[in-house]
Amino acid sequence: ETGVTQTPRHLVMGMTNKKSLKCEQHLGHNAMYWYKQSAKKPLELMFVYNFKEQTENNSVPSRFSPECPNSSHLFLHLHTLQPEDSALYLCASSQGAYFTGELFFGEGSRLTVL
Amino acid sequence: KQEVTQIPAALSVPEGENLVLNCSFTDSAIYNLQWFRQDPGKGLTSLLLIQSSQREQTSGRLNASLDKSSGRSTLYIAASQPGDSATYLCAVTIYNQGGKLIFGQGTELSVKP
């Protein structure tokens, strides 16, 4: 148990569906992240939020829309996805000035796009 | 552009062996380096975090070193056990780029009983 909880753990959706991934951290951290892990590729940073403000958008397509209502919750809204978006989506959080703190990850949400 | 490389990509050893996993990065301007473990289909578990001003960190049978000037880190696992079988990833936090971690592709470790 890392203190970062992701739901759902598995999600299957069609290309025209709208769904959301949820992440919650119980660690009192100020920064939260979305990463994408595809088979045989390094983890890719998607978004970074610090104190609810987005500080990084790593050229992610607009069909992925993040939302951070407070420092403990992070969402990833999904719309009109493509089969190549199938991957493990990992949420993480950290504490510390200038992001020097240790990163804690959730178990991930396995997304399959049909 | 920061690139992180891990060698080897896969490693199989008999139980009880000491082993070393390697991580190299191209830009020495980093905040810190972190080693993670990932079991199949699971999230990442943090093992060790080394700040840029530190040379090494130890936790149990694990020891991680950092040589920033040469762009290298090693993860030493002593007396390996079958439960150590997993993928090990290293990641560097880029200086002055707002929490951006760059990951290597990982080393898949298998420890045979």
Side-chain angles (χ1 to χ4, degrees):
Chain A
E1 181 62 48
T2 63
V4 181
T5 303
Q6 289 187 242
T7 55
R9 293 291 313 280
H10 300 274
L11 178 63
V12 179
M13 58 187 290
M15 289 191 286
T16 58
N17 292 158
K18 287 185 183 180
K19 297 284 184 182
S20 296
L21 307 180
K22 179 183 176 182
C23 177
E24 183 175 0
Q25 57 98 358
H26 309 277
L27 302 168
H29 289 166
N30 54 275
M32 295 188 76
Y33 312 74
W34 278 117
Y35 280 87
K36 176 183 178 182
Q37 187 176 36
S38 304
K40 305 299 183 185
K41 293 175 70 175
L43 269 80
E44 301 170 62
L45 177 67
M46 299 176 72
F47 302 103
V48 180
Y49 278 82
N50 190 33
F51 290 106
K52 304 188 300 178
E53 298 298 321
Q54 187 179 122
T55 58
E56 179 86 18
N57 177 338
N58 200 25
S59 302
V60 180
S62 60
R63 58 186 184 269
F64 295 91
S65 175
E67 178 189 0
C68 189
N70 55 63
S71 293
S72 299
H73 293 85
L74 185 64
F75 295 89
L76 188 62
H77 303 299
L78 314 170
H79 175 51
T80 340
L81 295 191
Q82 305 298 312
E84 61 264 29
D85 296 323
S86 299
L88 182 67
Y89 290 85
L90 292 160
C91 173
S93 70
S94 70
Q95 182 70 315
Y98 303 106
F99 307 93
T100 55
E102 188 175 0
L103 220 65
F104 292 83
F105 280 84
E107 291 286 329
S109 293
R110 172 71 63 185
L111 173 66
T112 303
V113 182
L114 301 176
Chain B
K1 178 187 171 187
Q2 177 73 273
E3 292 184 2
V4 179
T5 304
Q6 289 187 247
I7 295 174
L11 181 64
S12 181
V13 300
E15 182 177 4
E17 269 203 11
N18 302 324
L19 57 100
V20 175
L21 307 181
N22 296 293
C23 173
S24 62
F25 46 96
T26 54
D27 188 343
S28 62
I30 62 170
Y31 270 133
N32 57 41
L33 183 143
Q34 199 165 352
W35 281 94
F36 296 90
R37 168 189 173 133
Q38 186 175 30
D39 293 289
K42 302 281 192 176
L44 278 66
T45 300
S46 177
L47 298 174
L48 291 163
L49 170 71
I50 310 177
Q51 300 293 354
S52 61
S53 58
Q54 297 175 322
R55 298 283 296 188
E56 66 176 340
Q57 285 285 339
T58 298
S59 175
R61 294 182 294 109
L62 305 179
N63 176 276
S65 68
L66 174 63
D67 184 343
K68 222 174 61 157
S69 60
S70 67
R72 295 186 181 193
S73 176
T74 61
L75 179 67
Y76 175 82
I77 303 177
S80 58
Q81 302 171 359
D84 294 330
S85 298
T87 297
Y88 291 81
L89 297 128
C90 74
V92 296
T93 302
I94 296 180
Y95 181 78
N96 206 30
Q97 287 194 32
K100 192 166 186 172
L101 253 72
I102 303 296
F103 279 83
Q105 288 193 283
T107 294
E108 188 174 348
L109 174 65
S110 175
V111 181
K112 305 293 187 185

